[in-house]
Structure formats: C-alpha cells, structure tokens
Amino acid sequence: MTKSELIARLAARYPQLVAKDAEYAVKMILDAMTHSLVNGQRIEIRGFGSFGLNHRPARVGRNPKSGERVHVPEKYVPHFKAGKELRERVDGEPPEQPAAHPELRQVQTQR
C-alpha cells in the first residue's frame, strides 16, 4: 500500500473526512514518527510493531564496478520489528492473490 492509497482508504472509510484532511492527518503522523526517530527515540504501536534505529559501524567496502576499496562511514538506519499480533495475523491468513484472467482460471481449475 502506498501513501496515496492509505489517504484514499481513509477518505473512503470516513465520509465526513475530506481527502485533504486525510492527507494532512497521514502527513502529520509520518512527520511525527520521523521527528521521533531523528531524535533517537523508539516508536511503539501496540498490535502493529515498533520502529527503532540500528547503528552500522564504519567499514571498508568495495565499489562493485571497479573493485576499488571504499570507506563507508558509520550510520543509523531505521528498523521495523513487527508486533506479535501483526505476525500472527499475517501468518494465519493467506495473502490475497491478484485476480487472474478468465482463461487462466479455466486452465487452473481443469488440472
């Protein structure tokens, strides 16, 4: 799901919410989450998961094109860990399959 799809679903689910307001709400939530991570804070959304930062130390890498040694500086990268409820729901339900063409459906059912 993309950000624009999330905004469209919010606007469709809550008719009293104008699309611009849904867009503003999503933007504010994402901005608040970004601000927290930038400040080194951890984000926990019960039933969904948590976001944190992982430290990656400096290292010597290689340029894949030339094979030349390259210094890669240390950095912090965002990390998401799914919560127990989300893991259980994803594990228990089969993923949605895209709708196949009618001709393909016939071939699959004949097997």
Side-chain angles (χ1 to χ4, degrees), residues 21-33:
D21 292 339
E23 180 180 0
Y24 183 73
V26 169
K27 183 181 182 319
M28 291 303 296
I29 290 169
L30 295 177
D31 285 348
M33 291 173 73

Side-chain angles (χ1 to χ4, degrees), residues 45-50 80-89:
I45 302 170
R46 301 276 172 157
F48 182 70
S50 61
F80 173 73
K81 181 178 179 185
K84 181 180 177 184
E85 185 179 329
L86 178 61
R87 285 193 315 266
E88 288 173 351
R89 288 182 70 179

Side-chain angles (χ1 to χ4, degrees), residues 10 21 30 35 37 60:
L10 273 174
D21 292 339
L30 295 177
H35 183 72
L37 288 174
V60 176

